[in-house]
Amino acid sequence: MPKRQLLKANQKKAKHAQPGPESADEYLAAGVEAEEAGEKWRAGDSAKSSRFFVRAIELYDAGLECFPDSFDLSYNKARLQYDISQQPRLLAQLPVSTIELLELALESHRSALKLKQDDANVLFNTAQVLTSLGELRGEGSSTNPADREDALKKFQEALELFQRCFAVQEYQLNEAQAMMPDVPVPDNPADETIDRPATEEFDSQFPEEEQWASIVEPITANALLDTTIAQIETLTVMCGLMISQDPTGLPWLEEYSRPLLQRATSLVEGIDRVQEVSLSMANLKCAFADAAFRTGRLDLMTYQEELNNAFGTDIDPWNSVQWLCDRADAYLTMTASIRPTTDLASQNEAVSPHSNDVQWKYLTRALADLTTATKLPIVPNLTKIHLRRGDCELLRYCLGKAPSCYKQAIQNATMLLRNAEIYYRGAAKFAKVELAGQEETEGLIKEALVSSLNGDSAKLKTYGDRVIKTMDEMRDEGLLVAEDIDRLGQQLK
């Protein structure tokens, strides 16, 4: 999401500071300066960083009060709101939830889109906001059809906007190449960030006799690939949601995806992004395979083959945290779909007597991938990885309970619970460092629950009603079985 900025020329220092911005350009410059101050403190002081970002939004808002037709002010406000919504450390400093901020960002993006309907950046960004909202509306909403329906509508609108964005980008790229047939358009244009010092004061000077020009980034093949990958990722999320909401729409998704996959394969030629494209395709193929299995169109053996083939061997996954984590998630999704306690799976004729072996095998593979990911040099999202590791061990432990009663799980029950407890404790520690309060609480409560299953219930009563909510969520995810829920309930009394 490039920032709308102004490039100053023929600048002369003013003798006296102006009282404040007066023109749309000056409001824009002041807002950008505040953003840059926020960026300076983002890594070290999230509270100070968030104050600068809020100040930037206030400046954009004030500018729009005076100049409501300023696209640059409208665009920057919308872009910054979405950016903050994707930064948990910044969001934790604000009195709004992720969904509330995303709703504000969507409203701001729609306003920017009204001012310039053919701007590729605002089309792309609006689609991204809709996708993020759709994911939040759709996750954990198995008992709320209204939320699922709303999520699907947002995904569908996002796909339409991505397609409009691609059409604009393709036209602009073709036009640029036609005007300069002998000069290749660079795939990675130079970063045009304005270098100006970030300060805590907002007494920006607006010298007289300045000339301003808007920065316009050239469209490249990379931009077209970005849009195509975003469409593929949106389809991937839609696939899982559509199974429970409207399975009849799955053939449409498969048909819609074919030209996208062909386009991505064509666009990536000559661009060093093969692994990124391969990963997005692999995730979509796994989502389609899971949907086909859960709707009875694929047997278990073929599902395994589809999953294994999706990630293939042409890319070395051992250097990619994202690749390892996505493959682990695909394994976890498959085990959830064949779990006997899952209504859809229990009705599926493809579930074989050997499903316990399959679940154990793929849970073990998922854990191995996640463990490998933690050993790579640069590992983002360590908190989520450790939470996933704890989930893997707890899922393997649950295989020892009825109705599975899997022998290996029964024999290793104590070790599996101890491992899960360690991973959840580690997740809470990493979350505390990352200032991820919600994930820290999740890790602590899960650690307490597992510790209680292992005989130590000292920590369990310290979290109050949040324990019950977490237990309900864990039951829905297959992390707790009825027998253990009853045991934990007795300990909570």
Side-chain angles (χ1 to χ4, degrees):
M1 295 187 184
K3 192 181 299 178
R4 293 283 172 172
Q5 303 182 89
L6 295 173
L7 188 64
K8 290 192 282 188
N10 300 330
Q11 179 174 332
K12 296 181 180 181
K13 291 186 178 180
K15 294 181 179 180
H16 303 286
Q18 296 293 325
E22 297 179 356
S23 68
D25 288 344
E26 290 173 353
Y27 277 109
L28 184 66
V32 169
E33 186 174 0
E35 279 197 63
E36 290 174 350
E39 290 293 344
K40 174 184 175 181
W41 293 102
R42 187 194 287 255
D45 191 333
S46 55
K48 184 178 288 188
S49 177
S50 66
R51 287 197 295 271
F52 278 114
F53 286 134
V54 168
R55 177 59 176 157
I57 292 174
E58 290 172 348
L59 285 163
Y60 295 140
D61 258 332
L64 287 168
E65 286 289 328
C66 301
F67 307 97
D69 294 332
S70 172
F71 173 75
D72 289 346
L73 287 171
S74 184
Y75 173 89
N76 267 16
K77 173 190 171 184
R79 173 195 49 74
L80 182 54
Q81 286 174 327
Y82 180 65
D83 183 43
I84 295 173
S85 76
Q86 302 304 295
Q87 305 292 328
R89 295 182 62 179
L90 297 177
L91 193 58
Q93 308 298 322
L94 303 178
V96 293
S97 67
T98 304
I99 285 186
E100 288 171 335
L101 187 53
L102 282 171
E103 292 286 4
L104 289 173
L106 180 59
E107 182 181 348
S108 298
H109 276 88
R110 292 197 191 282
S111 296
L113 200 55
K114 289 179 182 178
L115 295 173
K116 192 175 288 189
Q117 297 184 16
D118 61 349
D119 184 88
N121 287 324
V122 76
L123 284 166
F124 184 91
N125 295 354
T126 307
Q128 287 281 65
V129 176
L130 285 163
T131 300
S132 295
L133 269 171
E135 288 178 312
L136 286 177
R137 292 291 188 198
E139 81 178 7
S141 59
S142 58
T143 59
N144 193 332
D147 278 352
R148 295 199 303 269
E149 181 66 26
D150 180 61
L152 278 177
K153 287 180 179 178
K154 284 181 167 53
F155 286 136
Q156 289 165 351
E157 185 181 357
L159 286 176
E160 294 172 3
L161 291 177
F162 278 133
Q163 192 57 40
R164 282 174 57 189
C165 174
F166 184 86
V168 171
Q169 290 172 328
E170 188 175 39
Y171 172 80
Q172 291 176 346
L173 180 61
N174 291 337
E175 190 176 57
Q177 290 174 339
M179 292 176 65
M180 298 183 293
D182 298 325
V183 180
V185 177
D187 281 335
N188 297 295
D191 182 14
E192 290 115 347
T193 300
I194 299 174
D195 293 321
R196 70 165 64 90
T199 63
E200 296 190 30
E201 288 75 31
F202 295 92
D203 55 349
S204 306
Q205 297 181 351
F206 301 97
E208 297 177 358
E209 302 182 27
E210 289 180 343
Q211 296 179 1
W212 301 81
S214 293
I215 294 174
V216 179
E217 284 192 350
I219 294 295
T220 68
N222 260 314
L224 272 68
L225 187 57
D226 285 338
T227 304
T228 303
I229 291 174
Q231 286 178 280
I232 293 172
E233 291 173 345
T234 301
L235 286 176
T236 302
V237 182
M238 281 184 73
C239 197
L241 188 61
M242 195 166 277
I243 295 171
S244 55
Q245 184 67 15
D246 182 19
T248 60
L250 290 170
W252 175 84
L253 284 183
E254 293 175 349
E255 186 67 27
Y256 188 97
S257 71
R258 291 192 183 98
L260 284 180
L261 297 176
Q262 294 172 358
R263 183 204 298 170
T265 302
S266 175
L267 285 171
V268 80
E269 293 180 6
I271 301 178
D272 187 22
R273 297 174 65 183
V274 174
Q275 183 162 318
E276 182 184 359
V277 171
S278 297
L279 182 57
S280 66
M281 290 181 173
N283 288 332
L284 181 60
K285 290 174 183 176
C286 288
F288 280 143
D290 183 65
F293 174 76
R294 291 175 64 185
T295 53
R297 296 185 291 126
L298 205 66
D299 60 43
L300 182 55
M301 182 175 294
T302 307
Y303 185 7
Q304 294 178 72
E305 292 173 356
E306 290 285 330
L307 190 152
N308 295 333
N309 292 336
F311 285 91
T313 57
D314 55 330
I315 300 295
D316 178 13
W318 310 114
N319 293 319
S320 170
V321 172
Q322 193 63 52
W323 185 279
L324 289 164
C325 290
D326 283 3
R327 187 166 67 177
D329 282 344
Y331 292 158
L332 289 170
T333 297
M334 187 185 74
T335 60
S337 293
I338 64 177
R339 197 175 298 135
T341 52
T342 303
D343 291 339
L344 283 171
S346 63
Q347 297 168 8
N348 193 329
E349 296 179 358
V351 175
S352 73
H354 304 293
S355 64
N356 288 337
D357 290 326
V358 175
Q359 288 183 75
W360 182 268
K361 178 174 71 174
Y362 281 94
L363 286 171
T364 304
R365 287 185 179 182
L367 182 61
D369 275 353
L370 294 169
T371 301
T372 301
T374 64
K375 298 176 181 178
L376 296 181
I378 300 176
V379 187
N381 297 323
L382 264 173
T383 298
K384 292 182 179 179
I385 292 175
H386 281 287
L387 285 172
R388 278 283 192 269
R389 294 173 81 188
D391 290 348
C392 284
E393 292 293 56
L394 203 49
L395 287 167
R396 293 207 298 175
Y397 162 80
C398 288
L399 280 175
K401 301 294 182 177
S404 297
C405 299
Y406 191 60
K407 184 177 180 181
Q408 280 186 267
I410 296 172
Q411 292 173 341
N412 295 281
T414 301
M415 181 197 70
L416 294 171
L417 286 176
R418 185 167 60 248
N419 289 346
E421 186 178 352
I422 291 171
Y423 294 143
Y424 288 139
R425 186 184 307 128
K429 289 181 179 178
F430 282 114
K432 186 173 184 179
V433 173
E434 297 169 1
L435 300 180
Q438 185 174 347
E439 290 170 342
E440 181 183 2
T441 301
E442 179 184 352
L444 290 171
I445 294 177
K446 284 185 173 181
E447 178 199 356
L449 287 167
V450 174
S451 180
S452 295
L453 292 176
N454 238 347
D456 182 5
S457 59
K459 301 177 183 177
L460 194 59
K461 294 183 180 181
T462 62
Y463 298 104
D465 294 340
R466 289 176 295 180
V467 174
I468 302 298
K469 181 182 178 182
T470 302
M471 286 173 59
D472 289 340
E473 293 171 351
M474 293 173 72
R475 179 199 58 211
D476 293 341
E477 295 168 7
L479 297 170
L480 287 176
V481 297
E483 174 188 339
D484 288 333
I485 290 174
D486 290 341
R487 282 177 55 195
L488 292 168
Q490 290 298 321
Q491 294 176 17
L492 285 170
K493 291 181 179 179

